[in-house]
Amino acid sequence: MACAGLAGLGLAGCGFQPLYGSNSTTASGAKLSETMAAVDVQPIPGRVGQKVRNELIFANTGGGVAAPQKFKLRIAIREQVINQLVRISGDAKGQVYQLEASFKLIDASNGAVIHQGSAVSRAPYSRYQEIFANVRARYDAENRAAETVSESIKTQVAAFLASSA
């Protein structure tokens, strides 16, 4: 406990600042939470795309009203299912749902791409004889992957905006 306190004191003077702290600011001095609320997440096609978008909107605004748009976030996703544990009969006992997303952060005032990146998530799930169980397992895997990808994108965008906006 004392070591953690000493480490905290040691970092206090070096300019270290938590990314998601209540007093986190951008390089220009604006509150990071307000800057993130000004990011307009563009629609993404498909159920999983909508899930990623909703997760990002909620993470950026906290469920409140979005600030006037300063940035646009365009995201393209690619989905893939990978069979695992394939039996001699050719049936897969398990599958991995893979979600890849590439994104561009665009300055809304001039349309210039100011940051881009990508995120990947893999969510394994088991296959069963019951059709409904397979559908539900796949949906759960898609939701887990969407949450992971949206968190990764949010962190990358927040880190960029904290250091340059």
Side-chain angles (χ1 to χ4, degrees), residues 42-119:
Q42 303 290 297
I44 309 165
R47 189 189 80 77
V48 176
Q50 186 64 39
K51 177 80 174 162
V52 170
R53 181 175 187 254
N54 288 346
E55 291 285 334
L56 282 166
I57 290 171
F58 185 77
N60 289 346
T61 64
V65 178
Q69 144 185 336
K70 292 181 183 175
F71 308 98
K72 292 181 183 181
L73 185 60
R74 290 203 179 119
I75 303 170
I77 62 171
R78 193 180 117 198
E79 303 169 86
Q80 181 179 6
V81 176
I82 304 162
N83 289 327
Q84 287 190 330
L85 305 172
V86 179
R87 298 180 183 145
I88 294 173
S89 65
D91 295 334
K93 187 170 176 142
Q95 291 184 319
V96 176
Y97 175 79
Q98 180 172 304
L99 180 62
E100 299 174 30
S102 58
F103 67 90
K104 293 180 182 179
L105 184 64
I106 299 165
D107 187 335
S109 64
N110 60 16
V113 175
I114 56 174
H115 183 66
Q116 57 187 4
S118 62

Side-chain angles (χ1 to χ4, degrees), residues 91-149:
D91 295 334
K93 187 170 176 142
Q95 291 184 319
V96 176
Y97 175 79
Q98 180 172 304
L99 180 62
E100 299 174 30
S102 58
F103 67 90
K104 293 180 182 179
L105 184 64
I106 299 165
D107 187 335
S109 64
N110 60 16
V113 175
I114 56 174
H115 183 66
Q116 57 187 4
S118 62
V120 176
S121 179
R122 293 182 180 101
Y125 61 99
S126 297
R127 303 265 307 153
Y128 304 99
Q129 290 183 350
E130 298 82 17
I131 293 172
F132 179 75
N134 289 329
V135 171
R136 188 69 246 169
R138 166 87 182 253
Y139 275 19
D140 289 344
E142 290 173 350
N143 290 342
R144 288 192 320 267
E147 290 169 10
T148 302
V149 163

